[in-house]
Amino acid sequence: MKVLVTDPIDDAGLDRLREAGYEVETNYEAEGEELLTAVADANALIVRSGTDVNEAVFEAAEDLVIVGRAGIGVDNIDIEAATDHGVIVANAPEGNVRAAAEHTVAMAFAAARWIPQAHTRLTDGEWAKSDYLGYEVNNKTLGIVGLGRVGQEVAKRLDSLGMELVVFDPYISEERAAQFGAELVDDLEDCLEAADFVTIHTPLLPETENMIAEEELALLEDGFLINCARGGIVDEAALADAVENGPMAGAALDVFAEEPVSEDSPLLDVDEIVVTPHLGASTEAAQENVAVDTADQVVAALNDQPVLNALNAPSVDETAFPRIEPYLGLSETAGKIAAQLLGERISSVEVHYEGDIAEEDVDLVTASALKGVFEPLEWQVNAVNAPRLAEERGIEVTESKTRQTEDFQSLVTVKVEDGDESLTVSGTLFAGDDPRIVRIDGYRVDAIPYGHMLVARNQDKPGVIGLIGSVLGENDVNIAGMFNARETIGGEALTVYNLDVDVPDEVLEELLADDRIIELKTITLDGQ
């Protein structure tokens, strides 16, 4: 398998990929048509912020399994397009969190104590001690816009230095903010008005672009703004004017709307604005951490293991994965059988969990069941885009659990409906990892799910099973195993046959000519 790396990452990450047996190709200049050509045969793509991973990339890369972002921000990756194409997008949010938080704190002090300005004048031969009267952070209020991982680390550090914390983040609770000693406010304006220092920790999204502009900056009277998150969140021209002409005291920026920053940027002409060239994650430890974390996630994805930081696919804690892994194949198989038995018109899917499995995080198991349901319909589907396909096609998906089960330690049931009819298939694991189909539409069976299967509904009368066996044998269709179940004596019965080959249509027609046979359905599973 080929891993394409289009932005520089630490050698530790490249070594990890090579040790796993993958071909690693680095192309740090690829863009446009060159990028599309390079990615065409790639199974994985690793980027930083310099590569635009758009719809065209996913169209060109038919074998792509995962895009790994060596860092936090993924605004350069079209996650919607990735999901549509069944490609996992994963970032490395932990590797550079500490580095980004420490740089934010350093920038706050640099701005408040005029450190770069004083340094420059001193190296130019000036002893300008009386020109720089700094600000202490003790007993000041820090406004945090976005209490994500980096925001939380900044909060911990500056809270310990005696700052009061005010947070604006519409996606967290008051209880979560209180855990960091912070007051949660409902409006950005309230946060800015209360703050002496404001630090930004939100992604660049349509709703956050130029989120802090002239009107918002006017609220920071004698205050400081620090942005080490993403360029484009702050109106740079408005910030330059607010610092140079008032009301702000200063600012510090590590990120810019366009990078490298233009030489004629107004930010560079204001002495009270500290600027650094996107150094937030530039520590040796952070670079190695994000490279290794990203490589590990690529290895996991290419080995069908859980991707811990997947942004568009169900993920699971690696400690829990061994407990649910056997159920991934079981649920997918149950879904395949249910879809093939019901037919093509599916309006809803329900996945029900009983027993021990009900105590686990089963999002990935449900996604696998959906993959199984949709595959027989010849949709291009995997566990990444299965939930999206269901939503796009108006198929209702529900998940339910009960910890009680009568006959099995764990049971997974997939129910499919077409609006008028429904059908259920239940499966379990024997001896821990031996999958069995144990119920079909309420009939108790014991079928080993593999290869070719024939499910027959017939009247419970003598000679029917013999007839089916004889006709199959006469047509060179060998029976590898079978299980028969019935509702009542003389009522309706259901029989599952494991076969070595598929049953030709003409053989099915011959069997259906017997009035005692109500319905025949063929099922094909993987490996045949």
Side-chain angles (χ1 to χ4, degrees):
M1 289 188 175
K2 172 182 167 181
V3 180
L4 176 65
V5 185
T6 57
D7 292 310
I9 66 170
D10 191 88
D11 287 343
L14 301 178
D15 292 342
R16 184 69 61 92
L17 293 166
R18 294 187 179 107
E19 289 168 3
Y22 301 123
E23 173 192 351
V24 179
E25 177 183 320
T26 58
N27 189 337
Y28 301 148
E29 305 298 327
E31 60 182 28
E33 289 299 322
E34 183 179 352
L35 173 60
L36 300 184
T37 300
V39 80
D41 61 344
N43 303 102
L45 173 64
I46 294 179
V47 303
R48 300 200 66 150
S49 58
T51 302
D52 182 17
V53 188
N54 53 32
E55 172 76 32
V57 172
F58 295 108
E59 288 284 352
E62 294 184 357
D63 298 324
L64 199 61
V65 174
I66 182 172
V67 175
R69 166 63 164 96
I72 299 178
V74 290
D75 39 274
N76 59 312
I77 303 172
D78 189 337
I79 296 180
E80 293 291 316
T83 304
D84 289 340
H85 286 80
V87 177
I88 299 169
V89 176
N91 64 354
E94 302 293 345
N96 58 15
V97 165
R98 185 184 299 275
E102 290 183 0
H103 193 68
T104 300
V105 173
M107 292 287 272
F109 278 107
R113 300 303 299 267
W114 316 112
I115 294 171
Q117 300 91 330
H119 168 82
T120 299
R121 292 183 65 179
L122 184 57
T123 56
D124 287 343
E126 295 185 64
W127 186 264
K129 178 178 180 179
S130 61
D131 290 350
Y132 296 108
L133 185 64
Y135 296 76
E136 295 181 12
V137 300
N138 184 50
N139 291 326
K140 298 296 193 304
T141 298
L142 175 69
I144 304 174
V145 181
L147 195 64
R149 290 181 175 90
V150 178
Q152 291 172 14
E153 292 299 317
V154 171
K156 293 176 185 176
R157 286 157 175 76
L158 291 179
D159 177 61
S160 68
L161 295 176
M163 297 196 79
E164 300 292 329
L165 307 182
V166 175
V167 170
F168 169 69
D169 189 328
Y171 303 105
I172 68 164
S173 65
E174 290 185 10
E175 292 76 15
R176 183 60 173 161
Q179 290 176 1
F180 296 92
E183 175 191 356
L184 183 67
V185 295
D186 294 330
D187 299 308
L188 174 62
E189 291 75 13
D190 292 339
C191 180
L192 299 177
E193 284 184 333
D196 300 298
F197 291 77
V198 169
T199 178
I200 299 169
H201 302 288
T202 68
L204 178 62
L205 303 169
E207 57 266 32
T208 62
E209 186 172 6
N210 284 333
M211 179 175 68
I212 298 180
E214 182 178 357
E215 291 185 9
E216 289 76 21
L217 295 169
L219 302 174
L220 280 172
E221 186 172 353
D222 295 326
F224 293 85
L225 182 139
I226 297 92
N227 184 12
C228 297
R230 276 286 177 265
I233 296 172
V234 179
D235 184 325
E236 294 175 357
L239 177 62
D241 181 68
V243 174
E244 185 173 27
N245 301 311
M248 293 179 60
L253 300 179
D254 185 49
V255 291
F256 307 90
E258 294 185 7
E259 296 183 2
V261 66
S262 172
E263 292 181 359
D264 60 2
S265 169
L267 297 169
L268 305 183
D269 296 328
V270 182
D271 190 50
E272 293 83 3
I273 297 179
V274 178
V275 291
T276 53
H278 207 145
L279 301 179
S282 294
T283 68
E284 290 184 5
Q287 293 303 301
E288 181 175 339
N289 289 341
V290 298
V292 171
D293 288 351
T294 304
D296 285 344
Q297 294 194 85
V298 167
V299 172
L302 297 182
N303 284 287
D304 292 324
Q305 298 293 310
V307 178
L308 302 184
N309 292 310
L311 302 175
N312 63 337
S315 59
V316 63
D317 185 272
E318 60 183 341
T319 61
F321 184 70
R323 297 194 297 273
I324 71 164
E325 182 179 17
Y327 293 94
L328 301 180
L330 176 67
S331 64
E332 182 178 337
T333 298
K336 284 181 182 179
I337 294 173
Q340 292 180 71
L341 289 177
L342 185 67
E344 296 185 0
R345 302 185 127 189
I346 294 176
S347 59
S348 67
V349 180
E350 179 183 351
V351 187
H352 181 64
Y353 301 92
E354 299 178 34
D356 291 351
I357 185 63
E359 299 180 4
E360 304 291 344
D361 179 353
V362 293
D363 286 351
L364 189 57
V365 185
T366 299
S368 297
L370 292 178
K371 177 178 182 287
V373 169
F374 297 152
E375 266 192 0
L377 308 184
E378 298 184 353
W379 297 358
Q380 296 298 313
V381 61
N382 59 21
V384 177
N385 62 8
R388 171 70 60 83
L389 287 172
E391 180 180 356
E392 289 176 350
R393 287 158 173 77
I395 296 174
E396 181 182 0
V397 178
T398 57
E399 178 185 294
S400 58
K401 295 180 176 181
T402 177
R403 289 181 172 80
Q404 303 299 319
T405 181
E406 294 182 1
D407 301 320
F408 306 97
Q409 187 171 349
S410 290
L411 192 71
V412 178
T413 299
V414 178
K415 179 181 180 181
V416 292
E417 296 185 359
D418 65 1
D420 298 319
E421 298 181 1
S422 65
L423 188 139
T424 60
V425 175
S426 300
T428 192
L429 297 171
F430 289 171
D433 59 359
D434 183 14
R436 297 293 177 90
I437 300 302
V438 293
R439 290 179 193 152
I440 296 178
D441 246 8
Y443 288 95
R444 178 70 169 88
V445 298
D446 184 10
I448 301 174
Y450 73 92
H452 299 285
M453 302 172 71
L454 175 67
V455 178
R457 291 180 187 268
N458 55 270
Q459 296 175 8
D460 182 33
K461 293 184 177 181
V464 178
I465 292 177
L467 168 70
I468 294 175
S470 297
V471 172
L472 292 177
E474 291 167 1
N475 288 276
D476 295 323
V477 179
N478 189 52
I479 299 174
M482 63 163 286
F483 191 92
N484 177 256
R486 63 184 181 184
E487 293 178 333
T488 58
I489 297 175
E492 187 175 311
L494 182 142
T495 308
V496 180
Y497 300 87
N498 287 110
L499 308 174
D500 290 341
V501 296
D502 199 7
V503 183
D505 290 341
E506 57 270 22
V507 176
L508 295 176
E509 292 175 4
E510 180 181 350
L511 290 170
L512 288 170
D514 191 295
D515 292 340
R516 296 171 297 177
I517 298 176
I518 302 168
E519 183 182 51
L520 296 174
K521 292 279 188 176
T522 58
I523 296 168
T524 301
L525 301 177
D526 292 340
Q528 298 289 326

